[in-house]
Amino acid sequence: MEFSIKTGSPEKLKSGCTVVGVFATRELSPSARALDKAMRGTLSALVKRGDFDGKAGSTLLLPRVDGNVFERVLLVGLGPESEFREKAYREAVRAAVAALRETAAREALLCLTELPVAGRNQAWAITQAVMVAMEVAYRFDRMKSKPDRSAPALRQLALRVSARSGADIDAALVQGVATAHGMRLAKDLGNLPPNVCTPTFLAEQAAQLARSHRLKLEVLEQRDMQRLGMGALLAVARGSRQPPKLISLSWNGGARKAPPVVLIGKGITFDTGGISLKPAAEMDEMKFDMCGAASVLGTMQAVAMMKLPLNVIGIVPATENMPGGNATRPGDIVTTMSGQTVEILNTDAEGRLILCDAMTWAERHQPAAVIDIATLTGACVIALGHVASGLYANDEELCQEVRSAGHNAWDRVWPMPLWEDYQEQLKSNFADFANIGGRPAGSVTAACYLARFARKFSWAHLDIAGTAWKSGREKGATGRPVPLLTEFLAARARARAQ
Ligand code: BES
Ligand code: MN
Ligand code: ZN
């Protein structure tokens, strides 16, 4: 889908379908009023009759009939005006694009982007509209023997704003498009089955990104990991026939010596639990255990599309977590690249084992900040559900920066404690510490484990176990937190430009 920005009065803009909002109950939005005037009261009469009441999520298509000067008009219910906030705005755009895809219109004019959302500006509305529209259009059918060929006609979506407030509207469009493409890549990688999306496949995808978007690629092989002493990452890979990979992609958009932001994504392409085997129910969803990695690759693509004036490095430790005769046993003790020893009491707590060596590996870049992204704990799903990702940080300023990026991108996170008191749960009688801390505060103790490898930089950790994918009928990757990460980096670039 292609996007553009339009100003001008809605009744004068030619379009295959003009989309306007109606509040509950029966109050026309400004664009709807302008259309109503041009149609000599058709819309207000229709609403008065009770044929459309503006209920949130409802739509009504008015095709061209005698007297209708427009090709098509789509009415979209906005719900009560007093409740029209971020969620209602996004749902209205979602309903509009879904309805447009049922029509034969090739291009449409969306006038919902002009509606005021409390605390938000037009730039926000533009970025969100692009992301939501691309989300509605997303399909994953490449593994079907007969993909559905009946593609909707809709190709172009023009977004109307009341007045072009300058460069920030254009930048908002660029960021929306880049983010949406990054999310699409992250979803595709997440949705691919684990027999296709292996560590080697992820490395190939990174190589393709490097070629198409002028990124620099480096891939460490198992023997390199051995040489570097990455005992924790290697311990997870032991049970698998698939060779592990440590992938690094760099975008050098900033000054040559400017310290980079490093993103590290958990890339477990399938998590069986290892010898601490998981129960069978829903184990298929552990193909999504590389969604942190996918979000890093998606964000690197977005950064390159936006050509941000920053240095950014994406690091992906990738391996399967499998049982087998050579697999790591509960009780095994390994030495991490940092030199600290870990007693692996549960082989299912593998995410932190691959991340800790990737974090030590990141030290060589002397990063401005490190953010790791991981489907790390079931406990985080219990704490925050599927709305917010868990946020941990060893730097208050970075914590606020990530939080506001999440709020601005509507890809929200909630801060969790990293207090020393929790570290006691990781005590081991035999090694420096253990890789699990028992049932209480499982998401916190996982983060506390990682904090022991973040002493040399400013660091934030996102536990995305509840937000990276959906289960049930809508099973599939969400592309989160690509919006947060892209906004975090774009905001840093904007601050630099001032
Ligand atoms: N990938 C899982 C976390 C997970 C589980 C995310 C279910 C989403 C849904 C992770 O590797 C894991 O297995 N964590 C364990 C840790 C425990 C053994 C300390 C967990 O959360 O149960
Ligand atoms: Mn696990
Ligand atoms: Zn896992």
Side-chain angles (χ1 to χ4, degrees):
M1 215 183 316
E2 282 180 23
F3 299 89
S4 60
I5 304 286
K6 289 272 162 70
T7 45
S9 337
E11 74 279 11
K12 291 192 185 120
L13 292 168
K14 261 182 79 81
S15 172
C17 187
T18 307
V19 184
V20 295
V22 178
F23 287 106
T25 38
R26 303 178 190 175
E27 182 172 347
L28 302 185
S29 64
S31 280
R33 245 178 281 137
L35 255 60
D36 185 48
K37 212 165 156 201
M39 294 165 85
R40 294 187 308 271
T42 310
L43 298 185
S44 43
L46 181 156
V47 158
K48 195 169 281 163
R49 275 204 312 264
D51 285 337
F52 194 73
D53 61 4
K55 195 155 89 338
S58 61
T59 57
L60 182 64
L61 180 73
L62 310 175
R64 182 168 209 160
V65 286
D66 277 354
N68 187 351
V69 287
F70 302 99
E71 199 63 46
R72 296 176 192 81
V73 172
L74 180 69
L75 300 183
V76 179
L78 305 173
E81 194 164 3
S82 59
E83 290 168 26
F84 193 70
R85 292 185 286 272
E86 289 92 346
K87 187 167 182 289
Y89 171 73
R90 285 172 54 101
E91 269 161 24
V93 174
R94 189 169 292 131
V97 176
L100 282 172
R101 285 166 56 86
E102 301 288 317
T103 73
R106 290 177 54 84
E107 31 85 40
L109 173 67
L110 190 71
C111 297
L112 305 178
T113 34
E114 71 193 18
L115 296 166
V117 178
R120 304 296 191 170
N121 56 21
Q122 298 253 283
W124 182 85
I126 294 289
T127 309
Q128 291 291 319
V130 174
M131 295 191 318
V132 171
M134 291 267 293
E135 200 153 275
V136 174
Y138 180 79
R139 292 289 176 279
F140 183 81
D141 55 10
R142 69 170 81 168
M143 303 306 291
K144 305 261 191 198
S145 61
K146 296 184 190 70
D148 185 5
R149 293 262 171 256
S150 61
L154 189 68
R155 286 279 168 283
Q156 289 180 24
L157 197 57
L159 310 173
R160 183 175 183 274
V161 293
S162 42
R164 188 180 286 264
S165 44
D168 59 334
I169 294 290
D170 297 319
L173 182 65
V174 169
Q175 186 171 332
V177 170
T179 307
H181 280 85
M183 289 174 83
R184 186 171 66 187
L185 174 61
K187 287 187 208 179
D188 280 346
L189 293 174
N191 289 335
L192 278 167
N195 58 332
V196 172
C197 186
T198 59
T200 303
F201 181 87
L202 283 179
E204 283 164 8
Q205 291 294 301
Q208 241 178 56
L209 264 186
R211 281 194 296 273
S212 57
H213 289 79
R214 292 165 162 263
L215 299 159
K216 218 181 93 224
L217 175 73
E218 181 183 16
V219 180
L220 298 189
E221 307 291 338
Q222 194 152 17
R223 57 181 178 278
D224 304 311
M225 299 170 195
Q226 271 152 2
R227 183 171 48 78
L228 288 159
M230 297 180 166
L233 172 53
L234 286 165
V236 177
R238 284 181 70 96
S240 173
R241 300 287 180 96
Q242 296 290 337
K245 306 276 173 183
L246 182 58
I247 305 162
S248 298
L249 271 179
S250 327
W251 168 255
N252 298 313
R256 207 161 59 85
K257 291 215 170 122
V261 173
V262 175
L263 307 176
I264 304 179
K266 172 178 173 183
I268 295 290
T269 61
F270 195 73
D271 183 9
T272 65
I275 297 297
S276 312
L277 194 63
K278 285 182 180 295
E282 283 145 36
M283 204 206 274
D284 67 287
E285 295 191 5
M286 283 298 114
K287 73 171 183 176
F288 295 118
D289 213 15
M290 37 57 69
C291 282
S295 76
V296 169
L297 297 181
T299 302
M300 293 307 292
Q301 182 183 294
V303 165
M305 273 181 83
M306 294 172 74
K307 298 197 162 39
L308 290 183
L310 290 178
N311 296 333
V312 186
I313 301 176
I315 299 182
V316 169
T319 175
E320 287 184 323
N321 185 24
M322 299 290 275
N326 201 40
T328 292
R329 295 155 286 258
D332 282 2
I333 294 178
V334 298
T335 304
T336 64
M337 187 182 174
S338 72
Q340 302 176 98
T341 60
V342 183
E343 185 182 16
I344 302 178
L345 288 176
N346 189 319
T347 63
D348 198 11
E350 85 297 340
R352 61 200 81 180
L353 294 173
I354 68 169
L355 290 168
C356 72
D357 280 340
M359 287 166 72
T360 304
W361 174 239
E363 283 176 6
R364 62 199 275 272
H365 300 296
Q366 290 167 320
V370 175
I371 305 179
D372 82 79
I373 306 100
T375 48
L376 203 62
T377 64
C380 191
V381 191
I382 303 302
L384 297 172
H386 305 287
V387 179
S389 306
L391 167 64
Y392 298 83
N394 66 4
D395 172 330
E396 188 54 34
E397 225 175 295
L398 179 65
C399 181
Q400 286 308 324
E401 197 181 344
V402 173
R403 225 181 135 178
S404 63
H407 176 72
N408 291 339
W410 209 241
D411 180 4
R412 291 163 298 170
V413 297
W414 195 254
M416 302 277 280
L418 261 187
W419 301 328
E420 253 175 72
D421 313 57
Y422 291 103
Q423 289 287 0
E424 288 178 22
Q425 288 176 237
L426 294 174
K427 279 204 168 128
S428 160
N429 284 355
F430 308 109
D432 293 351
F433 45 88
N435 76 328
I436 53 167
R439 275 178 48 91
S443 175
V444 179
T445 52
C448 284
Y449 174 96
L450 293 177
R452 293 169 180 259
F453 300 85
R455 299 229 167 90
K456 301 214 173 114
F457 43 67
S458 183
W459 161 75
H461 157 61
L462 296 173
D463 193 332
I464 58 166
T467 55
W469 76 90
K470 291 181 183 168
S471 309
R473 276 174 58 83
E474 294 198 319
K475 193 191 286 184
T478 61
R480 289 179 69 181
V482 171
L484 176 153
L485 296 170
T486 306
E487 169 58 20
F488 174 87
L489 294 164
R492 280 211 165 193
R494 287 195 295 268
R496 195 102 341 142
Q498 273 160 15

